[in-house]
Amino acid sequence: MHMAGSAMHYLEKELKELISRDERIFTFLESVFFDGLWYRDLQHPDQEWVNDRFWHELGFDRSDPSIEQRQSYVHPDDLPHESAALQAHIENPNKPFDIVVRYIHKDQSIVWFHCRGMTITSLNQSAPRMLVAFQNISPLKRAEQQLLIEKERYEVAINGASVGIWDWEDVTTDRVFWNKQFYNLLGYQEHEFKSDFSAFESRLHPDDKARTLDAVEKHLKDKEPYDIEYRLKTKSGEYRWFHAVGNALRDELGIPYRMAGSIEDVHEKQLAKQESLKLLSQLTESNKDLEQFAYAASHDLQEPLRIISSYIGLIKRKHVQALNEEAKEFFAIVEDGCGRMKSLILDLLSYSRIKRSGEIFEVVNVGRLIEKLVDGFKSENPGTNINVEIEGDTEIEAIKSYMDRLLSNLLSNAVKYQDPDRPLEIKISARSENQFVIISIKDNGIGIEREYFKRIFEVFQRLHTITEYPGTGIGLAICKRIVEIHEGSISVDSIFGQGSTFIVRIPQFVQREG
């Protein structure tokens, strides 16, 4: 327990008198921000006085009879440290008593005190006393511990990350910090690679150096984002591609004083990207050649076909009487073949001519286009039940002639593949949804089996014979190409024997070339 009340009051009274008389003690206390005071008789360690504020910091009221001696609340691990520091100061008063000690709070939590003390002579010149001021530094210690945890976490993160971390701590100097992974990415040990910007600069690929340094300069001066890919020379002598990002810290005037960031090895991605671009270029050239071939072939084929058709017709007109029935049948077959060949050539020519470049995009009202198209179909197919539903804003940026061709082809398909055993019914709808216009054409025709849903959009793919349903097998391929030119999509949903629904999604605003 703490010492008797009379002794405690005596020490308290003595300390107050000492403070009022001894300017040295007053100066000491004035220079220390304290949350507690401890005054002790060095010859009688059990005789000490501790002020109310100290006990309050530990969650106690000094009048509480259950309070034990101050030393009882020192953390067990810190008792030897406190005793050693106290003894060293007693033996050599010139050696400051300045330590940090942990105390146990009433709720069993830890309270950190910064303790600073001095030895003084009592009023009666008897045994020396020890005066110690306490400062509660628990918030600071908790902050330090949290900072240490964060630092450890940061070090674990950057050392375990797959990216290299760099920190140009002062952009006016050459020195740069690289983390362990940065060295690993380049194949170096830390002592083999200088911690300075010039070491980094010297390893840049000659073709990348100017633009990389320019990117750094623009970020520091003009605050342009530093996000770049460049090649660095590794220890093996190989140049590898890296993706680098960084950001500068600036003072209140906006002047950069520090810049940090990361690099990531993207060598394989960059090679794959370059290969993809190469293949894309080759594919573009191939498509261009194919389009030119298709156009030339279809155009050049028309002339011999026209000659064949003309002479077949001429023979029929002049020699029809001399032909027997079998010959007439043969001529009919040839005429039919010429007609189908002509249709095929014309469709192939149309397919090759459908392209995006050079075409004019304009505002097209899909709803009005559908209504106009339906009016024409109704006049050509009287009695056909076509229902139209238009909802919301159906305006899009599109190539008008292509959109007309798309809708016409889909509507023609619905008419062509109607079920002969029931009246044809067609429902066409258009609505806007999330910056897209959704067009749906539903019929009650013969339907399509699910296994053919994708195949029908390919060139020359037919599911029926010419005698069953005429056509070249290019119509839906043309539709698909038109939709893709408009950055949209086309799909079909169908139940065989019940009907089909073709669904087209076209963005209202198309990203145009150039």
Side-chain angles (χ1 to χ4, degrees), residues 61-231:
D61 182 341
R62 190 173 68 170
S63 62
D64 187 344
S66 65
I67 293 180
E68 298 181 15
Q69 193 173 12
R70 173 202 61 82
Q71 199 173 31
S72 302
Y73 299 96
V74 177
H75 193 287
D77 294 343
D78 291 354
L79 269 174
H81 172 53
E82 182 190 75
S83 298
L86 186 61
Q87 187 61 35
H89 178 69
I90 293 172
E91 293 175 358
N92 181 10
N94 292 324
K95 183 178 180 61
F97 180 77
D98 192 334
I99 61 173
V100 173
V101 180
R102 288 171 293 174
Y103 278 76
I104 309 298
H105 192 276
K106 184 178 180 181
D107 63 8
Q108 300 303 306
S109 63
I110 299 297
V111 179
W112 293 82
F113 283 115
H114 182 192
C115 310
R116 282 170 285 185
M118 61 184 295
T119 53
I120 57 178
T121 304
S122 63
L123 291 173
N124 58 13
Q125 303 295 317
S126 61
R129 312 294 200 201
M130 186 74 185
L131 175 62
V132 179
F134 295 86
Q135 181 185 358
N136 189 340
I137 59 170
S138 298
L140 177 62
K141 278 294 181 180
R142 283 193 288 270
E144 286 180 356
Q145 288 178 330
Q146 185 61 36
L147 186 61
L148 181 62
I149 292 171
E150 293 295 335
K151 182 181 178 182
E152 291 175 347
R153 184 179 295 136
Y154 170 74
E155 289 177 352
V156 169
I158 65 172
N159 290 328
S162 61
V163 297
I165 305 297
W166 52 270
D167 185 359
W168 194 2
E169 297 173 348
D170 184 350
V171 297
T172 63
T173 68
D174 196 39
R175 185 168 179 78
V176 181
F177 160 80
W178 326 104
N179 78 325
K180 184 178 180 180
Q181 186 60 20
F182 188 98
Y183 294 105
N184 290 341
L185 289 173
L186 296 178
Y188 287 97
Q189 297 295 322
E190 293 185 33
H191 66 275
E192 298 175 322
F193 193 103
K194 289 184 178 180
S195 300
D196 53 46
F197 191 84
S198 56
F200 161 77
E201 184 180 339
S202 67
R203 286 167 175 79
L204 280 168
H205 191 284
D207 295 342
D208 301 337
K209 182 178 291 187
R211 65 182 182 85
T212 302
L213 298 180
D214 185 56
V216 172
E217 189 73 12
K218 286 182 178 179
H219 178 70
L220 294 175
K221 286 189 174 181
D222 306 325
K223 300 183 181 180
E224 290 189 15
Y226 181 72
D227 189 333
I228 189 172
E229 290 187 356
Y230 50 65
R231 286 162 290 182

Side-chain angles (χ1 to χ4, degrees), residues 278-296 348 351-357 459 481 484-485:
K278 181 181 177 181
L279 291 174
L280 181 61
S281 177
Q282 293 174 349
L283 183 60
T284 301
E285 288 299 317
S286 177
N287 285 340
K288 188 184 297 183
D289 293 342
L290 185 61
E291 288 177 3
Q292 291 176 349
F293 169 77
Y295 177 80
L348 184 59
Y351 183 79
S352 67
R353 284 174 171 171
I354 295 175
K355 53 188 177 181
R356 179 169 177 155
S357 60
V459 179
R481 190 159 186 173
E484 289 176 345
I485 284 173

Side-chain angles (χ1 to χ4, degrees), residues 250-270:
R250 302 173 188 273
D251 60 21
E252 62 276 4
L253 298 177
I255 298 173
Y257 61 87
R258 185 175 186 173
M259 185 174 174
S262 66
I263 65 167
E264 178 185 8
D265 189 319
V266 292
H267 191 70
E268 303 305 327
K269 291 180 182 178
Q270 182 63 233

Side-chain angles (χ1 to χ4, degrees), residues 323-470:
L323 298 176
N324 58 31
E325 291 304 317
E326 187 178 29
K328 291 178 182 179
E329 185 178 342
F330 290 161
F331 270 98
I333 292 171
V334 173
E335 277 188 311
D336 181 63
C338 287
R340 286 191 288 110
M341 186 64 177
K342 182 178 180 181
S343 297
L344 188 62
I345 290 172
L346 290 175
D347 280 353
L348 184 59
L349 190 60
S350 295
Y351 183 79
S352 67
R353 284 174 171 171
I354 295 175
K355 53 188 177 181
R356 179 169 177 155
S357 60
E359 299 295 336
I360 298 174
F361 280 77
E362 59 184 297
V363 176
V364 176
N365 190 307
V366 175
R368 292 177 187 170
L369 199 62
I370 290 173
E371 289 171 348
K372 183 178 179 181
L373 191 63
V374 168
D375 288 342
F377 264 85
K378 283 183 176 180
S379 63
E380 295 174 8
N381 302 275
T384 301
N385 182 12
I386 303 178
N387 182 33
V388 177
E389 291 183 1
I390 308 297
E391 298 178 16
D393 177 19
T394 60
E395 287 189 346
I396 61 173
E397 284 186 299
I399 304 170
K400 189 174 184 300
S401 60
Y402 286 3
M403 290 305 300
D404 188 77
R405 180 72 177 274
L406 168 69
L407 297 171
S408 180
N409 278 9
L410 293 175
L411 192 53
S412 296
N413 260 25
V415 174
K416 181 192 296 186
Y417 295 105
Q418 60 183 291
D419 191 314
D421 297 328
R422 56 176 175 264
L424 176 62
E425 293 184 1
I426 301 173
K427 180 182 178 181
I428 305 178
S429 66
R431 71 180 191 280
S432 57
E433 181 182 291
N434 296 329
Q435 296 187 336
F436 277 82
V437 168
I438 316 298
I439 305 166
S440 171
I441 300 181
K442 181 178 181 181
D443 63 59
N444 64 339
I446 61 174
I448 305 167
E449 292 176 304
R450 181 170 293 276
E451 60 185 290
Y452 301 119
F453 282 5
K454 291 186 178 179
R455 178 180 164 187
I456 60 173
F457 294 106
E458 298 175 6
V459 179
F460 302 133
Q461 294 298 316
R462 293 180 51 83
L463 306 183
H464 308 279
T465 64
I466 292 294
T467 54
E468 290 178 308
Y469 296 96

